Amino acid sequence: MEEKNVNTPLNPDGCIGSTANLTMWEQTFDVLPDLVIIIDENHIITNINRNFTQHLNGKPEDFIGKTCYSLVHSTDEPPDFCPHSLLIKDHREHTKKFFIDSLNGFYKVSVSPIFEGDELKGAVHIVHNITDVKKLEESHNRLATIVESSENTIIGKDLDGTITDWNKGAEKMYGYSAKEAVGRSISMLVPEHLEDDVWWIMNEIKEGRSIKNYETVRITKDQTIIPVSLSISPIIDPSGTTVGAATIAMDIAERKKIERHRRELLERQKKLTKKLQTANEKLKNQHMELFNINLTLREAKNKFFNAFHKNPAAMIITDNEDRLVELNESYVKLTGYSREELIGTTPEKLSPVMYLRNDNPLDGQDLEKNTETEYGITTKSGEKRIILTLSESIELKSKPHTISFIYDITERKISEEHKEILLKKEQDLSEKLQHSNQELLDIQEKLTKTIKKLEISNSELQQFAYVASHDLKEPLRMVTSFLQLLKQRYEYELDSDANEFIDFAVDGAKRMHNLIEDLLAYSRIMTKGKEFDVMDMEEVLEHVIINLKVSIDETHAEITYDPLPKIWADESQMIQLLQNLIENSIKYRNQEVPRIHVSVKEEEEEWIFSVRDNGIGIASKHAQKIFMIFKRLHTNQEYDGTGIGLAIIKRIIDRHSGRVWVESELGQGSTFFFTISKKLQNSI
C-alpha cells in the first residue's frame, strides 16, 4: 500500500486545517455514517465522532484521553491484531476485519497515518459495520455446500443467463465439469431450434415468476439430446431484487422413451390399418381394371400391353407349361430378378423356397387357376415376402395362358400378426390386473380391520394412562403432605440424617407428581386436542415468549424469528410445542447468552419449521432416542425434568401428520425441525 505523508499541521484537537475551517470539519466529522476516531502515537484517543459515541452509549468526553484498546477491546495492552500498532511500526495504512466485542459485531477497520512534517502524530480510524455482509457470506456458504452435495441437478445463473453455480448432479447429467460450465451461457445446453427457450425462461424469472415441471430437451457435452423436466425459481437478494435463477433438472429420457414407443406402436397400427384399407380398395379397383382389360384384349393388343406394363401391381403371363412369357416392371422390382432372367422360366425355379402359408412346400405343383392364393417367396436378395396371387385363364393366339396379378401383402400380414399379439398381451394384462385388484381389495380389507383394532387398543391405552395417572395423584399428595407434616412437627427431634431422608422423599414425591402431570399431558394430546383451525404462528410465538418471560429475563436470552406463516393446526398444541422447544434451548445452555432463532421454509406440500440454539448440543447417536418417552441424557442433579417433553412434541407432530427431527453436535448447539402439512384442512 502506498505510504501517505500529510504535511498539513494539526490544530490543538488533533484535526487537520485552520481554525476557520474547524466548525465545518467537526460538523462533517459528526455526521459521517461510519464510526470515526482519531488516535495519537501512544494509543490515546484525541477525537471521536458522534456516531461512535452513540454506539458505545456515551459522550465524547467519556472517551477522549483514554487508550483505544481499553475502550474498544477491553484489554490492558494492544492486541496482536491491532492495526494501529502496525501503523506505528511502518507508518502505512492498514485495513483489518474482526469481531469487536464492545460493538457486538464484525467490523472493517481502516487506519490512515497523520503526519506533522515528517513526524507521525497519530492516525484516523474509520470503522465500518460488516456484520450483515458476514452473515450473508456464511448463509451463502451453507447454501452452496447443500447445493454442491445434492444428487439432484442444480444450476444457478444470473439474469443474463450466465452460469454461476454447477453442482455434481449437473456434472453427471450434462458431462461438463463445474470449471467448464461456470462463466458460460446456459444456452450451451440448448439446441439451436430452442434458442427462444432461454429468452422466455429468463423473462419469466425477471418478472418474479417460477416455472414448475417444464418439459423440453437439452444437449450434453457429447452432443446427446436428452429430454428434461425443469423447475426454475428466481434468486432474490436481501433487498428483494431478483438477481438470478436456480434450476433443478431431471432426466426424463426413460419416461419419454416409453411414451414415444407407445405412440409409435399406435401410429404404426393406424398406418398399417390405413394401408390395408387402401390395399383392399386398390384390389377392388385393380380387379375391375383387370376385367376391363380382358374385355379390351381381344380388340387391341397394344392397348392391353400398355395397361399391362404400366400397372403398379406385379403382373405375369404364363403359358400352359407354366413358363413366363410376359411380365411387367412391377414384377421385376418385386422379385429382384431382371427381365432376361425371368422370361422362359417358371416362378418355382427362380424361387425354389416357394411355400404356402402353412409352410408346406408347393413341390412344383401348379397354382390353381382363377383363384386367390397366398404364398411365400424368396427374392433374389434372399428376402422373404408374402404375396397374394389372383390368377385367371385367358387365350393368346388361340392358346391357353394364365394372367396373374401379384400383390405384396407382407406389411399387411405383419400388421395382422402384430395386432393379434397386442390383443393377446392386452388380454393377459387384463387378467393380471383383475387378479391384482382382488389381492389389493383383500389387503385393504385386512388393513382396515387391523387399523380398527389399533384404534380400539390405542383408545384403551390412552384411557388407562389417564385413569392410572389421575388415581396416582391422590395417594401421592397424601404421602407428600404427611412427610411435610412429619418434618414440621419433629424437625428438631430428628437427627440430620432423618431430616435429609424426609427431604429426599418429598423431592421424589414432587418429581413423581411432575411425572404424572406430564404423563397426563402426553395421554391427552390425541384425545383432548382442539379442532384444527387457521392460526398465526407469529402470534403463537409471541404468546410463548410472554409465558417464558421470567426464564428469558433471568438468562438474558435472545429470541429472534423470521416472518412466520398462518397455518391450519391446533393453536394450543402449537403453543405447547414451541414453548417446550424454546424452554429446552434455555435450560440446556452453555456459558454464553442463549440465542434462539425460529424460522420456516415453505415446500409444495408442507411447512418446515426450525428452532436453532447455541446450547450444549446433542451427540448424533442420541438424535432419535431423545424423542422416546422417559428417555433422558442427563441426571436430575445436572438438569431437572421428566424426560417426556420431547415425546409430547413428537406426539403433537404425529397428530398433525408431520415429522420431527434434530440436527446437532456436542458443544455446537442444536436445530430442531418439525413439519406441518398444508393438506390438514382437506383431511378433516
Side-chain angles (χ1 to χ4, degrees), residues 204-389:
E204 291 292 295
I205 294 300
K206 290 175 183 177
E207 295 294 328
R209 293 188 287 268
S210 297
I211 300 171
K212 300 291 185 184
N213 303 321
Y214 173 58
E215 293 187 2
T216 183
V217 295
R218 290 292 181 258
I219 302 178
T220 65
K221 183 177 180 179
D222 62 3
Q223 299 302 301
T224 301
I225 302 292
I226 60 171
V228 295
S229 176
L230 305 178
S231 293
I232 310 161
S233 302
I235 298 175
I236 301 173
D237 67 10
S239 66
T241 303
T242 300
V243 297
T247 300
I248 299 177
M250 182 171 64
D251 188 344
I252 57 173
E254 190 61 30
R255 192 188 80 193
K256 286 292 184 182
K257 182 178 179 181
I258 294 172
E259 291 177 354
R260 184 170 59 253
H261 183 64
R262 180 175 176 273
R263 288 196 301 269
E264 288 175 354
L265 285 176
L266 291 174
E267 188 64 26
R268 186 180 298 176
Q269 184 177 358
K270 289 179 181 178
K271 288 181 179 179
L272 290 175
T273 301
K274 187 174 181 180
K275 284 183 178 179
L276 182 61
Q277 292 173 346
T278 303
N280 286 335
E281 189 65 29
K282 284 183 178 180
L283 281 174
K284 293 179 182 177
N285 294 335
Q286 290 170 355
H287 192 72
M288 182 60 70
E289 289 177 7
L290 177 61
F291 177 76
N292 293 330
I293 290 173
N294 285 331
L295 292 178
T296 59
L297 277 175
R298 297 181 181 89
E299 300 177 354
K301 182 178 179 181
N302 291 335
K303 187 180 293 185
F304 166 79
F305 278 102
N306 286 337
F308 179 85
H309 288 288
K310 292 180 181 180
N311 200 305
M315 297 179 65
I316 59 174
I317 298 176
T318 56
D319 60 18
N320 59 351
E321 295 180 357
D322 215 21
R323 292 191 298 267
L324 286 169
V325 296
E326 192 57 77
L327 53 92
N328 67 358
E329 187 63 26
S330 296
Y331 187 75
V332 171
K333 291 179 180 179
L334 174 64
T335 62
Y337 293 97
S338 66
R339 178 180 179 83
E340 290 72 21
E341 292 175 308
L342 293 171
I343 293 296
T345 65
T346 61
E348 297 93 310
K349 290 182 180 180
L350 291 176
S351 184
V353 194
M354 184 177 289
Y355 52 89
L356 292 171
R357 288 299 295 141
N358 59 7
D359 293 334
N360 292 323
L362 290 173
D363 295 330
Q365 301 175 28
D366 292 337
L367 298 175
E368 293 183 14
K369 306 301 186 289
N370 304 318
T371 59
E372 293 185 5
T373 307
E374 287 184 19
Y375 59 93
I377 66 169
T378 302
T379 66
K380 186 176 181 180
S381 64
E383 182 183 7
K384 291 184 178 181
R385 308 296 295 176
I386 302 171
I387 63 172
L388 172 68
T389 299

Side-chain angles (χ1 to χ4, degrees), residues 566-580:
K566 292 182 179 180
I567 64 172
W568 192 268
D570 183 333
E571 183 175 9
S572 63
Q573 290 188 350
M574 288 298 103
I575 292 173
Q576 185 178 12
L577 184 150
L578 282 181
Q579 186 164 321
N580 280 8

Side-chain angles (χ1 to χ4, degrees), residues 410-544:
T410 306
E411 300 299 332
R412 188 186 78 183
K413 287 297 181 180
I414 292 174
S415 175
E416 291 174 352
E417 292 173 358
H418 187 64
K419 185 175 180 180
E420 290 176 1
I421 292 171
L422 287 177
L423 289 173
K424 183 64 170 61
K425 287 184 177 180
E426 182 180 359
Q427 183 178 359
D428 293 342
L429 286 173
S430 178
E431 292 175 358
K432 290 180 180 178
L433 183 61
Q434 290 176 357
H435 182 68
S436 297
N437 285 340
Q438 186 58 48
E439 289 181 347
L440 284 174
L441 289 173
D442 295 341
I443 292 170
Q444 184 176 6
E445 183 179 356
K446 292 178 182 178
L447 185 59
T448 302
K449 292 179 181 179
T450 302
I451 291 173
K452 187 66 176 177
K453 291 178 181 178
L454 286 174
E455 288 175 348
I456 295 171
S457 176
N458 191 38
S459 176
E460 290 174 350
L461 284 173
Q462 289 173 354
Q463 185 65 25
F464 172 76
Y466 176 78
V467 172
S469 301
H470 187 272
D471 291 347
L472 282 172
K473 290 171 67 177
E474 184 58 33
L476 186 61
R477 189 181 298 112
M478 182 181 296
V479 170
T480 304
S481 298
F482 276 105
L483 284 171
Q484 291 173 338
L485 183 61
L486 179 64
K487 183 172 182 179
Q488 289 173 5
R489 290 188 180 181
Y490 302 104
E491 180 177 5
Y492 299 104
E493 298 179 20
L494 299 172
D495 59 16
S496 59
D497 287 343
N499 280 301
E500 187 178 8
F501 294 158
I502 292 174
D503 289 339
F504 285 157
V506 171
D507 183 61
K510 288 180 179 179
R511 289 204 310 271
M512 177 61 79
H513 181 271
N514 292 336
L515 188 61
I516 291 171
E517 287 294 333
D518 285 347
L519 186 58
L520 279 172
Y522 182 80
S523 67
R524 289 171 178 164
I525 289 171
M526 294 298 183
T527 58
K528 301 297 183 180
K530 296 180 180 179
E531 292 185 0
F532 291 180
D533 202 350
V534 177
M535 44 155 290
D536 191 331
M537 284 298 284
E538 285 194 18
E539 294 180 1
V540 167
L541 182 56
E542 291 170 359
H543 193 119
V544 170

